mmCIF file of all heavy atoms in Angstrom:
data_model
loop_
_atom_site.group_PDB
_atom_site.id
_atom_site.type_symbol
_atom_site.label_atom_id
_atom_site.label_comp_id
_atom_site.label_asym_id
_atom_site.label_seq_id
_atom_site.Cartn_x
_atom_site.Cartn_y
_atom_site.Cartn_z
ATOM 1 N N SER D 1 -37.923 -21.911 -6.847
ATOM 2 C CA SER D 1 -36.691 -22.187 -6.123
ATOM 3 C C SER D 1 -36.985 -23.102 -4.945
ATOM 4 O O SER D 1 -38.140 -23.283 -4.545
ATOM 5 C CB SER D 1 -36.071 -20.874 -5.631
ATOM 6 O OG SER D 1 -35.734 -20.041 -6.721
ATOM 7 N N GLY D 2 -35.926 -23.658 -4.382
ATOM 8 C CA GLY D 2 -36.097 -24.487 -3.193
ATOM 9 C C GLY D 2 -36.308 -23.635 -1.956
ATOM 10 O O GLY D 2 -36.337 -22.403 -2.019
ATOM 11 N N LEU D 3 -36.466 -24.285 -0.830
ATOM 12 C CA LEU D 3 -36.647 -23.559 0.423
ATOM 13 C C LEU D 3 -35.380 -22.791 0.792
ATOM 14 O O LEU D 3 -34.265 -23.238 0.516
ATOM 15 C CB LEU D 3 -36.988 -24.520 1.552
ATOM 16 C CG LEU D 3 -38.444 -24.953 1.715
ATOM 17 C CD1 LEU D 3 -38.561 -25.877 2.909
ATOM 18 C CD2 LEU D 3 -39.363 -23.751 1.881
ATOM 19 N N CYS D 4 -35.559 -21.642 1.411
ATOM 20 C CA CYS D 4 -34.412 -20.905 1.922
ATOM 21 C C CYS D 4 -33.818 -21.653 3.113
ATOM 22 O O CYS D 4 -34.464 -22.515 3.728
ATOM 23 C CB CYS D 4 -34.824 -19.496 2.334
ATOM 24 S SG CYS D 4 -35.971 -19.416 3.738
ATOM 25 N N THR D 5 -32.592 -21.332 3.463
ATOM 26 C CA THR D 5 -31.946 -21.952 4.615
ATOM 27 C C THR D 5 -32.530 -21.390 5.905
ATOM 28 O O THR D 5 -33.192 -20.345 5.909
ATOM 29 C CB THR D 5 -30.438 -21.683 4.590
ATOM 30 O OG1 THR D 5 -30.214 -20.269 4.749
ATOM 31 C CG2 THR D 5 -29.811 -22.151 3.278
ATOM 32 N N ASP D 6 -32.252 -22.065 7.001
ATOM 33 C CA ASP D 6 -32.704 -21.553 8.295
ATOM 34 C C ASP D 6 -32.071 -20.200 8.603
ATOM 35 O O ASP D 6 -32.713 -19.325 9.212
ATOM 36 C CB ASP D 6 -32.350 -22.549 9.409
ATOM 37 C CG ASP D 6 -33.300 -23.737 9.445
ATOM 38 O OD1 ASP D 6 -34.378 -23.662 8.817
ATOM 39 O OD2 ASP D 6 -32.958 -24.748 10.098
ATOM 40 N N GLU D 7 -30.811 -20.022 8.209
ATOM 41 C CA GLU D 7 -30.142 -18.739 8.441
ATOM 42 C C GLU D 7 -30.858 -17.621 7.680
ATOM 43 O O GLU D 7 -31.055 -16.522 8.208
ATOM 44 C CB GLU D 7 -28.674 -18.814 8.003
ATOM 45 C CG GLU D 7 -27.803 -19.718 8.856
ATOM 46 C CD GLU D 7 -27.777 -21.157 8.364
ATOM 47 O OE1 GLU D 7 -28.684 -21.538 7.573
ATOM 48 O OE2 GLU D 7 -26.862 -21.904 8.742
ATOM 49 N N GLU D 8 -31.236 -17.917 6.439
ATOM 50 C CA GLU D 8 -31.945 -16.911 5.643
ATOM 51 C C GLU D 8 -33.325 -16.631 6.222
ATOM 52 O O GLU D 8 -33.770 -15.470 6.296
ATOM 53 C CB GLU D 8 -32.071 -17.380 4.191
ATOM 54 C CG GLU D 8 -30.751 -17.403 3.438
ATOM 55 C CD GLU D 8 -30.844 -18.118 2.097
ATOM 56 O OE1 GLU D 8 -31.699 -19.032 1.960
ATOM 57 O OE2 GLU D 8 -30.063 -17.767 1.206
ATOM 58 N N PHE D 9 -34.001 -17.689 6.674
ATOM 59 C CA PHE D 9 -35.363 -17.497 7.162
ATOM 60 C C PHE D 9 -35.399 -16.697 8.451
ATOM 61 O O PHE D 9 -36.246 -15.804 8.599
ATOM 62 C CB PHE D 9 -36.066 -18.839 7.379
ATOM 63 C CG PHE D 9 -37.478 -18.677 7.863
ATOM 64 C CD1 PHE D 9 -38.481 -18.330 6.980
ATOM 65 C CD2 PHE D 9 -37.792 -18.838 9.205
ATOM 66 C CE1 PHE D 9 -39.788 -18.154 7.423
ATOM 67 C CE2 PHE D 9 -39.088 -18.666 9.659
ATOM 68 C CZ PHE D 9 -40.093 -18.325 8.761
ATOM 69 N N VAL D 10 -34.508 -16.964 9.378
ATOM 70 C CA VAL D 10 -34.567 -16.265 10.656
ATOM 71 C C VAL D 10 -34.313 -14.773 10.459
ATOM 72 O O VAL D 10 -34.925 -13.925 11.114
ATOM 73 C CB VAL D 10 -33.579 -16.886 11.673
ATOM 74 C CG1 VAL D 10 -32.122 -16.610 11.307
ATOM 75 C CG2 VAL D 10 -33.878 -16.380 13.088
ATOM 76 N N ARG D 11 -33.438 -14.444 9.528
ATOM 77 C CA ARG D 11 -33.173 -13.024 9.246
ATOM 78 C C ARG D 11 -34.350 -12.397 8.506
ATOM 79 O O ARG D 11 -34.803 -11.294 8.841
ATOM 80 C CB ARG D 11 -31.893 -12.900 8.419
ATOM 81 C CG ARG D 11 -31.377 -11.471 8.241
ATOM 82 C CD ARG D 11 -30.047 -11.474 7.487
ATOM 83 N NE ARG D 11 -29.345 -10.219 7.637
ATOM 84 C CZ ARG D 11 -29.459 -9.182 6.798
ATOM 85 N NH1 ARG D 11 -30.256 -9.284 5.761
ATOM 86 N NH2 ARG D 11 -28.782 -8.061 7.012
ATOM 87 N N ARG D 12 -34.826 -13.086 7.484
ATOM 88 C CA ARG D 12 -35.948 -12.583 6.684
ATOM 89 C C ARG D 12 -37.179 -12.360 7.548
ATOM 90 O O ARG D 12 -37.844 -11.315 7.454
ATOM 91 C CB ARG D 12 -36.260 -13.581 5.574
ATOM 92 C CG ARG D 12 -37.416 -13.194 4.680
ATOM 93 C CD ARG D 12 -37.773 -14.334 3.723
ATOM 94 N NE ARG D 12 -36.660 -14.755 2.887
ATOM 95 C CZ ARG D 12 -36.698 -15.772 2.049
ATOM 96 N NH1 ARG D 12 -37.812 -16.499 1.939
ATOM 97 N NH2 ARG D 12 -35.650 -16.103 1.322
ATOM 98 N N ALA D 13 -37.506 -13.327 8.368
ATOM 99 C CA ALA D 13 -38.715 -13.240 9.187
ATOM 100 C C ALA D 13 -38.643 -12.082 10.170
ATOM 101 O O ALA D 13 -39.630 -11.367 10.380
ATOM 102 C CB ALA D 13 -38.935 -14.558 9.929
ATOM 103 N N HIS D 14 -37.481 -11.881 10.791
ATOM 104 C CA HIS D 14 -37.327 -10.760 11.717
ATOM 105 C C HIS D 14 -37.480 -9.425 11.001
ATOM 106 O O HIS D 14 -38.197 -8.529 11.472
ATOM 107 C CB HIS D 14 -35.967 -10.827 12.409
ATOM 108 C CG HIS D 14 -35.931 -11.714 13.612
ATOM 109 N ND1 HIS D 14 -35.874 -13.092 13.515
ATOM 110 C CD2 HIS D 14 -35.939 -11.433 14.951
ATOM 111 C CE1 HIS D 14 -35.843 -13.614 14.734
ATOM 112 N NE2 HIS D 14 -35.890 -12.634 15.622
ATOM 113 N N LEU D 15 -36.816 -9.274 9.865
ATOM 114 C CA LEU D 15 -36.873 -8.004 9.145
ATOM 115 C C LEU D 15 -38.273 -7.705 8.632
ATOM 116 O O LEU D 15 -38.717 -6.550 8.651
ATOM 117 C CB LEU D 15 -35.872 -8.019 7.988
ATOM 118 C CG LEU D 15 -34.401 -7.927 8.381
ATOM 119 C CD1 LEU D 15 -33.506 -8.187 7.179
ATOM 120 C CD2 LEU D 15 -34.073 -6.564 8.999
ATOM 121 N N ASP D 16 -38.991 -8.717 8.186
ATOM 122 C CA ASP D 16 -40.332 -8.491 7.645
ATOM 123 C C ASP D 16 -41.379 -8.310 8.735
ATOM 124 O O ASP D 16 -42.322 -7.525 8.578
ATOM 125 C CB ASP D 16 -40.743 -9.659 6.745
ATOM 126 C CG ASP D 16 -40.178 -9.523 5.339
ATOM 127 O OD1 ASP D 16 -39.834 -8.397 4.938
ATOM 128 O OD2 ASP D 16 -40.079 -10.551 4.646
ATOM 129 N N ALA D 17 -41.249 -9.028 9.825
ATOM 130 C CA ALA D 17 -42.280 -8.983 10.866
ATOM 131 C C ALA D 17 -42.092 -7.830 11.832
ATOM 132 O O ALA D 17 -43.068 -7.203 12.257
ATOM 133 C CB ALA D 17 -42.314 -10.299 11.640
ATOM 134 N N ILE D 18 -40.829 -7.524 12.199
ATOM 135 C CA ILE D 18 -40.608 -6.483 13.205
ATOM 136 C C ILE D 18 -39.602 -5.423 12.746
ATOM 137 O O ILE D 18 -39.317 -4.481 13.492
ATOM 138 C CB ILE D 18 -40.140 -7.093 14.550
ATOM 139 C CG1 ILE D 18 -38.780 -7.785 14.407
ATOM 140 C CG2 ILE D 18 -41.191 -8.054 15.090
ATOM 141 C CD1 ILE D 18 -38.198 -8.275 15.743
ATOM 142 N N GLY D 19 -39.039 -5.568 11.563
ATOM 143 C CA GLY D 19 -38.127 -4.565 11.042
ATOM 144 C C GLY D 19 -36.768 -4.541 11.693
ATOM 145 O O GLY D 19 -35.995 -3.602 11.477
ATOM 146 N N ARG D 20 -36.439 -5.548 12.469
ATOM 147 C CA ARG D 20 -35.162 -5.584 13.197
ATOM 148 C C ARG D 20 -34.430 -6.891 12.921
ATOM 149 O O ARG D 20 -35.039 -7.919 12.596
ATOM 150 C CB ARG D 20 -35.406 -5.468 14.717
ATOM 151 C CG ARG D 20 -36.191 -4.249 15.145
ATOM 152 C CD ARG D 20 -35.447 -2.947 14.904
ATOM 153 N NE ARG D 20 -34.345 -2.780 15.818
ATOM 154 C CZ ARG D 20 -34.442 -2.165 17.012
ATOM 155 N NH1 ARG D 20 -35.619 -1.687 17.405
ATOM 156 N NH2 ARG D 20 -33.395 -2.022 17.787
ATOM 157 N N LEU D 21 -33.105 -6.867 13.085
ATOM 158 C CA LEU D 21 -32.305 -8.072 12.931
ATOM 159 C C LEU D 21 -32.466 -8.983 14.144
ATOM 160 O O LEU D 21 -32.671 -8.499 15.264
ATOM 161 C CB LEU D 21 -30.830 -7.717 12.791
ATOM 162 C CG LEU D 21 -30.365 -7.054 11.497
ATOM 163 C CD1 LEU D 21 -28.895 -6.652 11.627
ATOM 164 C CD2 LEU D 21 -30.552 -7.989 10.313
ATOM 165 N N PRO D 22 -32.337 -10.289 13.956
ATOM 166 C CA PRO D 22 -32.318 -11.182 15.118
ATOM 167 C C PRO D 22 -30.992 -11.023 15.860
ATOM 168 O O PRO D 22 -29.959 -10.719 15.251
ATOM 169 C CB PRO D 22 -32.437 -12.571 14.501
ATOM 170 C CG PRO D 22 -31.850 -12.426 13.126
ATOM 171 C CD PRO D 22 -32.206 -11.034 12.680
ATOM 172 N N THR D 23 -31.006 -11.219 17.158
ATOM 173 C CA THR D 23 -29.765 -11.159 17.926
ATOM 174 C C THR D 23 -28.948 -12.430 17.666
ATOM 175 O O THR D 23 -29.501 -13.455 17.242
ATOM 176 C CB THR D 23 -30.063 -11.060 19.424
ATOM 177 O OG1 THR D 23 -30.722 -12.270 19.843
ATOM 178 C CG2 THR D 23 -30.944 -9.858 19.736
ATOM 179 N N PRO D 24 -27.646 -12.382 17.905
ATOM 180 C CA PRO D 24 -26.843 -13.601 17.742
ATOM 181 C C PRO D 24 -27.388 -14.779 18.548
ATOM 182 O O PRO D 24 -27.407 -15.916 18.051
ATOM 183 C CB PRO D 24 -25.462 -13.167 18.220
ATOM 184 C CG PRO D 24 -25.401 -11.703 17.907
ATOM 185 C CD PRO D 24 -26.783 -11.196 18.185
ATOM 186 N N ASP D 25 -27.825 -14.523 19.773
ATOM 187 C CA ASP D 25 -28.359 -15.617 20.589
ATOM 188 C C ASP D 25 -29.630 -16.201 19.971
ATOM 189 O O ASP D 25 -29.844 -17.425 20.014
ATOM 190 C CB ASP D 25 -28.662 -15.120 22.004
ATOM 191 C CG ASP D 25 -27.391 -14.897 22.821
ATOM 192 O OD1 ASP D 25 -26.328 -15.423 22.428
ATOM 193 O OD2 ASP D 25 -27.468 -14.189 23.846
ATOM 194 N N ARG D 26 -30.460 -15.336 19.393
ATOM 195 C CA ARG D 26 -31.696 -15.846 18.780
ATOM 196 C C ARG D 26 -31.374 -16.679 17.549
ATOM 197 O O ARG D 26 -32.021 -17.699 17.291
ATOM 198 C CB ARG D 26 -32.615 -14.671 18.394
ATOM 199 C CG ARG D 26 -33.995 -15.145 17.917
ATOM 200 C CD ARG D 26 -34.736 -15.779 19.085
ATOM 201 N NE ARG D 26 -35.956 -16.478 18.696
ATOM 202 C CZ ARG D 26 -36.025 -17.760 18.347
ATOM 203 N NH1 ARG D 26 -34.927 -18.510 18.265
ATOM 204 N NH2 ARG D 26 -37.185 -18.326 18.079
ATOM 205 N N VAL D 27 -30.368 -16.280 16.795
ATOM 206 C CA VAL D 27 -29.967 -17.057 15.621
ATOM 207 C C VAL D 27 -29.447 -18.425 16.058
ATOM 208 O O VAL D 27 -29.810 -19.460 15.485
ATOM 209 C CB VAL D 27 -28.899 -16.306 14.801
ATOM 210 C CG1 VAL D 27 -28.422 -17.178 13.636
ATOM 211 C CG2 VAL D 27 -29.449 -14.988 14.281
ATOM 212 N N ARG D 28 -28.584 -18.428 17.084
ATOM 213 C CA ARG D 28 -28.032 -19.704 17.568
ATOM 214 C C ARG D 28 -29.148 -20.647 18.013
ATOM 215 O O ARG D 28 -29.140 -21.846 17.691
ATOM 216 C CB ARG D 28 -27.078 -19.456 18.733
ATOM 217 C CG ARG D 28 -25.760 -18.794 18.362
ATOM 218 C CD ARG D 28 -24.800 -18.837 19.543
ATOM 219 N NE ARG D 28 -23.604 -18.066 19.297
ATOM 220 C CZ ARG D 28 -23.432 -16.792 19.649
ATOM 221 N NH1 ARG D 28 -24.404 -16.153 20.294
ATOM 222 N NH2 ARG D 28 -22.308 -16.169 19.382
ATOM 223 N N ALA D 29 -30.091 -20.102 18.774
ATOM 224 C CA ALA D 29 -31.178 -20.942 19.283
ATOM 225 C C ALA D 29 -32.018 -21.504 18.145
ATOM 226 O O ALA D 29 -32.420 -22.674 18.172
ATOM 227 C CB ALA D 29 -32.049 -20.123 20.240
ATOM 228 N N PHE D 30 -32.282 -20.687 17.148
ATOM 229 C CA PHE D 30 -33.092 -21.150 16.028
ATOM 230 C C PHE D 30 -32.359 -22.221 15.230
ATOM 231 O O PHE D 30 -32.950 -23.236 14.840
ATOM 232 C CB PHE D 30 -33.453 -19.969 15.121
ATOM 233 C CG PHE D 30 -34.408 -20.321 14.026
ATOM 234 C CD1 PHE D 30 -35.756 -20.519 14.283
ATOM 235 C CD2 PHE D 30 -33.964 -20.469 12.719
ATOM 236 C CE1 PHE D 30 -36.641 -20.854 13.268
ATOM 237 C CE2 PHE D 30 -34.835 -20.812 11.697
ATOM 238 C CZ PHE D 30 -36.183 -21.003 11.984
ATOM 239 N N LEU D 31 -31.069 -22.031 14.997
ATOM 240 C CA LEU D 31 -30.305 -23.009 14.227
ATOM 241 C C LEU D 31 -30.134 -24.320 14.989
ATOM 242 O O LEU D 31 -30.027 -25.394 14.385
ATOM 243 C CB LEU D 31 -28.933 -22.438 13.857
ATOM 244 C CG LEU D 31 -28.942 -21.186 12.963
ATOM 245 C CD1 LEU D 31 -27.510 -20.754 12.648
ATOM 246 C CD2 LEU D 31 -29.715 -21.434 11.687
ATOM 247 N N ALA D 32 -30.125 -24.237 16.317
ATOM 248 C CA ALA D 32 -29.956 -25.446 17.131
ATOM 249 C C ALA D 32 -31.259 -26.224 17.304
ATOM 250 O O ALA D 32 -31.250 -27.383 17.725
ATOM 251 C CB ALA D 32 -29.401 -25.064 18.502
ATOM 252 N N ASP D 33 -32.370 -25.580 16.984
ATOM 253 C CA ASP D 33 -33.684 -26.209 17.122
ATOM 254 C C ASP D 33 -33.954 -27.052 15.870
ATOM 255 O O ASP D 33 -33.962 -26.549 14.753
ATOM 256 C CB ASP D 33 -34.745 -25.121 17.262
ATOM 257 C CG ASP D 33 -36.133 -25.680 17.549
ATOM 258 O OD1 ASP D 33 -36.317 -26.917 17.445
ATOM 259 O OD2 ASP D 33 -37.042 -24.882 17.854
ATOM 260 N N HIS D 34 -34.200 -28.326 16.047
ATOM 261 C CA HIS D 34 -34.419 -29.219 14.910
ATOM 262 C C HIS D 34 -35.867 -29.697 14.795
ATOM 263 O O HIS D 34 -36.158 -30.618 14.039
ATOM 264 C CB HIS D 34 -33.485 -30.431 15.015
ATOM 265 C CG HIS D 34 -32.032 -30.056 15.000
ATOM 266 N ND1 HIS D 34 -31.410 -29.524 13.901
ATOM 267 C CD2 HIS D 34 -31.086 -30.123 15.985
ATOM 268 C CE1 HIS D 34 -30.136 -29.279 14.183
ATOM 269 N NE2 HIS D 34 -29.915 -29.628 15.443
ATOM 270 N N SER D 35 -36.775 -29.052 15.516
ATOM 271 C CA SER D 35 -38.182 -29.459 15.445
ATOM 272 C C SER D 35 -38.783 -28.989 14.120
ATOM 273 O O SER D 35 -38.435 -27.924 13.599
ATOM 274 C CB SER D 35 -38.962 -28.873 16.623
ATOM 275 O OG SER D 35 -38.831 -27.466 16.654
ATOM 276 N N PRO D 36 -39.699 -29.761 13.546
ATOM 277 C CA PRO D 36 -40.228 -29.439 12.209
ATOM 278 C C PRO D 36 -41.100 -28.192 12.170
ATOM 279 O O PRO D 36 -41.312 -27.631 11.092
ATOM 280 C CB PRO D 36 -41.035 -30.688 11.844
ATOM 281 C CG PRO D 36 -41.382 -31.325 13.153
ATOM 282 C CD PRO D 36 -40.235 -31.033 14.067
#
C-alpha cells in the first residue's frame, strides 16, 4: 500500500508509542508542519 496520511500517522504513532491519543493541538501542529 501507499504511505498513510499525516492524520493516520500522528494517531497511529501516539497509540503505539505511548498508548494515548494525540491532543487536538498536537494534531494541528503536526498537520501544519511541512518539513520532510
Side-chain angles (χ1 to χ4, degrees):
S1 298
L3 277 181
C4 66
T5 65
D6 283 345
E7 292 89 342
E8 290 169 332
F9 181 78
V10 70
R11 189 176 197 268
R12 179 188 302 175
H14 276 77
L15 288 170
D16 278 339
I18 64 174
R20 304 294 288 269
L21 289 174
T23 64
D25 286 343
R26 187 67 190 90
V27 176
R28 289 191 188 93
F30 186 75
L31 298 181
D33 186 350
H34 299 293
S35 56

